[in-house]
Amino acid sequence: MATAGKVIKCRAAVAWEPNAPLMMEEIEVAPPQEGEIRIKVVATGVCHTDLYHLFEGKDKRGFPTVLGHEGAGVVESVGPGVTDFKPGDKVIPLFLSQCGECKFCKCPKTNLCDCSWSSKYYDIMSDPTTRFTCHGRPILQFMGTSTFSEYTVINQIAVAKIHDDAPLDRVCLLGCGISTGYGAAVNTAGVTPGSVCAVFGLGAVGLAAVMGCKNAGASRIFAVDINEQKFEKAKVFGATDFLNPKAYNKPISEVLAELTNGGVDFSLECVGNTEVMRTALESCVKGWGVSVLVGWTDVKDFSAKPIQLISGKTWKGSLFGGFKSKDSVPNLVCDYMTGKIKLDEFITHKMSLEQVNDAINLMKTGDCSRSILVPLLFQLFCL
């Protein structure tokens, strides 16, 4: 392509500081270096983790940055040493890398990778190395991806090549939220046929967890949320029962225990709230109940009474649904294309990248499951 090897100027939504609106700016995107790929971002979702960094984490060392980590696009050019990708390939950037060489990548028990930004920079949620500049200043690449930009540069160990016919404005959701919730149920929790489950929080991650429970054969799936308007959407993904904790004068864990003869077999916390994490654990049946922490947060400690675990319950966490990223995302794309998993049903809004602050507000108020942003430059590419 004519732009290969050159600096590209493009539009991006820059978060200059915490707790402030994003600003549409012209940024410079450097050519890819050794082992890197430059990608035209065709579509990106807005995920709660973007909001977490902007409004909850608020570590000033993590700014200025370009947010966004749930995208899909097309390879524009590749750097030296890249042999598995070529210009024109459809790809999904991955916030969780898979180098294939570290002790974690070689271990079947985990999907962590020692080469990921998250190994060293959880607090600022970005590697200090960046290919972005704006007004002469370096701009961090959030979670190693930065999909709120028309172009981004990513190491090849954090990019998945996908099917040529995949619709980018849908499969972009597999870059984070849907894979996270779905995998938390089928991989981390290990939901079994005939089991009873409870999913706390019905955003996109929670709805994906409901879908995972359904696909794994759960006989009863409780959808728990304080916003009852989300219940109809949860029914689409397989929820069978619906509970609003505010509708009861007792803890919702006690309500679930009464409805299930002692508690659910599996619970999944998809909010990122430490109090809800404890409630989800307390909602499990003693002896074998499994509760999984799925919602992202790192600003508060969490706690529970030891008897909850002594009695035989298991409390565990899930990152990216336990999927090894480069290996699994292409398969998930194929699962969508063959009808095994849903994606279209998650999407409630489609907007231009210029409307990113509107999309953020929709998520803050709970008025969307997922908003898809498409840069104006590439709106005709969403096929």
Side-chain angles (χ1 to χ4, degrees):
M1 295 187 179
T3 50
K6 302 176 181 178
V7 172
I8 290 178
K9 293 184 178 181
C10 70
R11 300 282 286 170
V14 178
W16 287 103
E17 58 184 349
N19 207 31
L22 307 189
M23 302 295 292
M24 292 303 303
E25 303 275 8
E26 182 180 80
I27 68 169
E28 296 81 36
V29 182
Q33 302 301 302
E34 180 78 26
E36 295 179 344
I37 301 169
R38 189 158 60 184
I39 299 167
K40 293 191 297 186
V41 179
V42 173
T44 181
V46 179
C47 177
H48 178 264
T49 309
D50 299 311
L51 276 66
Y52 167 83
H53 186 66
L54 189 62
F55 298 115
E56 297 175 46
K58 296 189 292 188
D59 190 323
K60 291 185 178 180
R61 294 173 301 161
F63 295 84
T65 187
V66 173
L67 299 174
H69 61 286
E70 194 176 73
V74 177
V75 174
E76 176 269 339
S77 61
V78 300
V82 176
T83 58
D84 293 338
F85 299 86
K86 65 182 184 304
D89 285 345
K90 287 187 175 181
V91 294
I92 291 179
L94 306 167
F95 74 87
L96 182 63
S97 60
Q98 184 184 349
C99 72
E101 299 297 328
C102 71
K103 65 179 181 180
F104 297 108
C105 284
K106 291 181 177 180
C107 177
K109 297 179 180 180
T110 182
N111 63 343
L112 299 182
C113 176
D114 219 13
C115 295
S116 174
W117 60 270
S118 58
S119 294
K120 299 179 181 179
Y121 304 109
Y122 259 117
D123 47 359
I124 64 173
M125 300 188 76
S126 301
D127 189 309
T129 302
T130 179
R131 304 293 173 229
F132 290 172
T133 56
C134 183
H135 304 311
R137 295 180 59 184
I139 305 294
L140 296 174
Q141 293 183 236
F142 180 66
M143 299 180 80
T145 54
S146 287
T147 56
F148 290 175
S149 173
E150 291 175 338
Y151 287 85
T152 189
V153 178
I154 304 175
N155 193 291
Q156 63 181 336
I157 66 173
V159 180
K161 183 179 177 180
I162 60 172
H163 198 286
D164 288 340
D165 295 332
L168 298 178
D169 59 342
R170 268 90 88 194
V171 299
C172 62
L173 297 181
L174 294 170
C176 184
I178 310 311
S179 301
T180 295
Y182 183 73
V186 300
N187 296 329
T188 312
V191 172
T192 54
S195 60
V196 178
C197 304
V199 175
F200 291 78
L202 299 176
V205 174
L207 293 174
V210 170
M211 179 172 67
C213 293
K214 172 71 182 307
N215 284 9
S219 62
R220 199 173 181 189
I221 304 169
F222 288 87
V224 184
D225 202 292
I226 59 175
N227 184 351
E228 295 185 9
Q229 293 181 359
K230 296 182 177 182
F231 291 165
E232 281 301 313
K233 178 75 77 170
K235 187 182 297 183
V236 171
F237 292 97
T240 59
D241 299 80
F242 309 90
L243 299 174
N244 179 353
K246 290 188 174 181
Y248 298 89
N249 57 7
K250 64 178 72 173
I252 201 65
S253 57
E254 293 183 15
V255 175
L256 280 164
E258 293 171 359
L259 293 172
T260 59
N261 191 28
V264 301
D265 300 303
F266 301 95
S267 69
L268 298 105
E269 191 281 345
C270 301
V271 181
N273 180 296
T274 54
E275 293 181 6
V276 180
M277 291 173 184
R278 178 170 181 161
T279 297
L281 175 66
E282 293 171 346
S283 300
C284 286
V285 66
K286 63 183 179 181
W288 62 79
V290 176
S291 186
V292 181
L293 280 59
V294 190
W296 180 282
T297 187
D298 194 34
V299 294
K300 292 183 180 180
D301 294 336
F302 65 100
S303 63
K305 291 184 177 180
I307 192 62
Q308 293 290 324
L309 303 183
I310 293 170
S311 65
K313 298 180 184 182
T314 300
W315 210 7
K316 59 204 303 190
S318 183
L319 179 66
F320 197 56
F323 287 114
K324 285 188 179 289
S325 57
K326 283 178 71 75
D327 291 344
S328 300
V329 166
N331 295 330
L332 288 168
V333 169
C334 290
D335 286 344
Y336 163 68
M337 296 177 71
T338 57
K340 182 178 178 180
I341 62 174
K342 302 178 187 292
L343 290 180
D344 301 52
E345 292 82 357
F346 288 95
I347 301 169
T348 52
H349 299 78
K350 284 190 176 182
M351 305 177 176
S352 72
L353 180 60
E354 307 278 337
Q355 296 172 290
V356 60
N357 288 310
D358 294 332
I360 288 172
N361 287 333
L362 283 169
M363 177 160 280
K364 286 176 67 176
T365 57
D367 291 330
C368 72
S369 295
R370 261 307 182 264
S371 296
I372 301 297
L373 303 177
V374 179
L376 292 173
L377 186 60
F378 305 127
Q379 286 190 2
L380 295 178
F381 208 106
C382 292
L383 301 173

